[in-house]
Amino acid sequence: MTVRPFKALRPKKDFAARVAVKPYDVISSEEARKIVLSNPLAFYKVTKPEVNFDKLVDPSSDEALEVAKRNLQKYKEEGIFFQEDQDCFYIYKQISHDHTQTGLVATFSAREYLESKIKKHELTRKDKEEERVKHIEYLRAQTGLVFLFYRAERRLNELLDSLTQTEPEYDFVDEDGVRQIVYVVKDPSKVKEIERAFQEVSSFYIADGHHRAAAAVRVAERMASQNPNHTGLEEYNYFVGVVFPHDQLRIYDYNRVVKDLNGLTVDQFLDSLRRAFIVELAPVQPYRPREKHEFGMFLGNVWYRLKVKDSVLHEIKTDPTASLDVSILQREVLDKVLNIKDPRTDKRIDFVGGVHGLNALEDYVLRKGWAVAFALYPTSIEELMNVSDAGLIMPPKSTWFEPKLKSGLFVHLI
């Protein structure tokens, strides 16, 4: 597989902690606007351009994107950002409580994405994809990282670890208590060693950032078609990301809440569930599932435990997608009972990352007036790889990776 060094546009050491922000799609515009007011260097001024306005503004409008472009230029003009004078790799290490993950920041091949060597597990929404396409085209830059991984190999892990024995370029603790450490790899011999080592990897997998990747590849195709001297080596043929070994990643549950019971009474709803599940009061309150094919359900101020019946499992055990817990819940409950056919577009459903805890699910029901919440057992990294290897697609919001990658530390100019 191709990993390619690049001349990152990035913050000077003293500004990194103030510039770095969460990905644009995990925080609301209102939250981001408050952060920018208290910290004018926050990179949301570029990644979420609507925060630059006191009025409601479409983040994909020319008005918003023009301000984002101008703000990126300001970071450079005011000496907050600079661009490397040579192609580099970066080692990105994140430490969160008892968890550490160390990955390689590089640019990745749009061609390998189109050839499915960079494997996907999610469908993208065209409106969200187009929003990022416009952002990349307007700024001529990729401002957010795609989160990738590979099947771990000891020699690669050892190589990356060996490159963290020097003084880090960035080292700070973010607002969530995650330590963010970055090392710069400039030595041409080390750069070549990294490129050669990753050539032995058979494929990469997208963990998070499907829309960022898809948008970057669409931009690459457009720019190639408009360039009569296209060679395939131009910067637009590559997108920026971080690739980690699979065994260092942590996936949390991605839970569901639903506004109503589709006209059913509580008793009718429980009876409907019994066709596919063993339904019982949970042994503890609140209840987090303890194994695959088990769910927690909060309904009427009570936690239940749902266990998938063997008869249901028997029909799907050899299907890597249908046997996922998120698929079982979608098919047997959300679709058949609650009439939620497309969770990507239905306004009656919402999704809550497991990192927010079970209290967040109770809050939806008890304080926001939603009808029912479901706690899932986390999808495993092996399940994700099995689905991707088979060329299949998971239901939306199947995985929640934590910690999140920071935006603003590495910008790829195209």
Side-chain angles (χ1 to χ4, degrees):
M1 294 295 293
T2 301
V3 294
R4 184 172 175 269
F6 68 111
K7 296 180 178 73
L9 176 68
R10 60 184 184 87
K12 292 178 179 176
K13 197 169 188 174
D14 292 345
F15 299 115
R18 293 169 62 196
V19 167
V21 296
K22 293 178 180 178
Y24 73 95
D25 52 354
V26 300
I27 186 170
S28 71
S29 299
E30 183 181 350
E31 291 171 306
R33 193 174 284 111
K34 288 177 182 175
I35 291 169
V36 168
L37 285 173
S38 63
N39 173 20
L41 291 188
F43 202 58
Y44 292 129
K45 292 168 76 171
V46 173
T47 59
K48 292 182 76 70
E50 70 274 19
V51 306
N52 297 295
F53 299 84
D54 294 330
K55 59 182 180 179
L56 282 177
V57 174
D58 179 354
S60 294
S61 67
D62 288 346
E63 179 185 21
L65 291 173
E66 185 59 41
V67 173
K69 182 179 180 179
R70 193 160 65 241
N71 284 339
L72 185 61
Q73 187 63 29
K74 278 184 183 179
Y75 280 111
K76 293 186 282 184
E77 292 173 352
E78 295 174 3
I80 297 163
F81 274 49
F82 74 100
Q83 187 172 13
E84 302 279 8
D85 57 7
Q86 65 185 90
D87 289 333
C88 302
F89 284 123
Y90 306 86
I91 309 301
Y92 188 4
K93 189 172 189 177
Q94 296 178 297
I95 303 173
S96 175
H97 308 299
D98 61 340
H99 176 66
T100 299
Q101 56 191 40
T102 303
L104 177 74
V105 180
T107 57
F108 300 85
S109 167
R111 179 178 53 79
E112 289 179 349
Y113 175 96
L114 293 168
E115 292 172 350
S116 296
K117 292 178 181 177
I118 296 175
K119 300 184 178 184
K120 305 170 283 290
H121 69 268
E122 255 184 35
L123 293 174
T124 55
R125 279 174 45 185
K126 288 302 176 188
D127 57 337
K128 288 180 65 179
E129 197 177 303
E130 187 59 32
E131 179 184 317
R132 278 302 105 179
V133 165
K134 287 190 69 175
H135 193 275
I136 294 169
E137 287 185 327
Y138 218 101
L139 276 66
R140 283 296 187 262
Q142 299 153 1
T143 57
L145 298 167
V146 179
F147 187 160
L148 304 122
F149 66 92
Y150 58 92
R151 290 186 184 273
E153 296 181 24
R154 190 176 67 179
R155 63 185 181 80
L156 284 177
N157 292 7
E158 290 174 348
L159 173 59
L160 296 189
D161 285 340
S162 73
L163 296 167
T164 65
Q165 306 309 309
T166 59
E167 181 76 18
E169 175 73 357
Y170 304 143
D171 189 348
F172 62 91
V173 177
D174 71 10
E175 68 275 19
D176 294 325
V178 180
R179 189 175 169 195
Q180 311 278 345
I181 311 172
V182 172
Y183 303 84
V184 182
V185 183
K186 285 188 173 182
D187 182 337
S189 66
K190 292 294 184 185
V191 168
K192 285 295 180 187
E193 185 179 1
I194 292 169
E195 288 180 297
R196 284 195 299 267
F198 276 90
Q199 284 173 2
E200 303 301 316
V201 175
S202 60
S203 58
F204 292 143
Y205 301 83
I206 297 178
D208 203 3
H210 284 79
H211 287 91
R212 271 157 272 172
V217 171
R218 278 181 57 191
V219 172
E221 290 181 301
R222 285 187 192 178
M223 292 184 72
S225 68
Q226 294 163 7
N227 180 3
N229 301 313
H230 172 77
T231 66
L233 298 177
E234 297 86 356
E235 288 297 326
Y236 59 73
N237 294 292
Y238 300 86
F239 60 88
V240 66
V242 190
V243 65
F244 294 92
H246 86 277
D247 58 0
Q248 290 185 18
L249 300 185
R250 179 173 289 179
I251 303 180
Y252 287 79
D253 40 310
Y254 214 157
N255 301 312
R256 276 81 168 127
V257 287
V258 180
K259 275 188 177 178
D260 61 70
L261 298 181
N262 192 33
L264 301 173
T265 65
V266 168
D267 286 341
Q268 288 171 332
F269 177 62
L270 290 171
D271 282 342
S272 297
L273 295 182
R274 291 187 178 99
R275 289 197 292 264
F277 302 91
I278 299 168
V279 181
E280 55 195 11
L281 288 174
V284 293
Q285 304 277 322
Y287 187 71
R288 185 181 302 282
R290 297 172 182 172
E291 60 185 5
K292 186 174 162 67
H293 302 327
E294 182 178 277
F295 302 84
M297 180 178 73
F298 189 61
L299 175 70
N301 205 20
V302 176
W303 281 91
Y304 294 83
R305 176 167 63 186
L306 310 181
K307 298 186 76 170
V308 185
K309 288 184 175 180
D310 289 341
S311 57
V312 174
L313 294 178
H314 179 72
E315 297 175 2
I316 57 175
K317 61 183 178 181
T318 60
D319 187 320
T321 299
S323 60
L324 294 170
D325 282 354
V326 287
S327 299
I328 294 170
L329 183 71
Q330 173 58 40
R331 184 175 58 253
E332 300 296 339
V333 180
L334 302 178
D335 184 350
K336 291 182 180 178
V337 179
L338 296 176
N339 197 36
I340 295 172
K341 305 295 183 184
D342 185 355
R344 294 194 300 161
T345 58
D346 199 309
K347 301 300 184 185
R348 294 169 54 223
I349 189 170
D350 204 356
F351 305 88
V352 182
V355 71
H356 299 297
L358 298 178
N359 290 341
L361 300 183
E362 292 183 344
D363 187 63
Y364 263 87
V365 175
L366 297 178
R367 291 173 182 81
K368 297 180 181 178
W370 290 54
V372 62
F374 299 95
L376 284 77
Y377 191 72
T379 303
S380 72
I381 199 79
E382 288 78 14
E383 288 177 316
L384 190 159
M385 288 190 292
N386 288 340
V387 170
S388 298
D389 287 341
L392 301 173
I393 295 296
M394 288 183 173
K397 313 293 187 184
S398 293
T399 56
W400 179 281
F401 285 87
E402 196 77 28
K404 298 296 183 188
L405 306 177
K406 288 296 182 182
S407 294
L409 297 180
F410 314 95
V411 175
H412 180 220
L413 301 178
I414 61 167

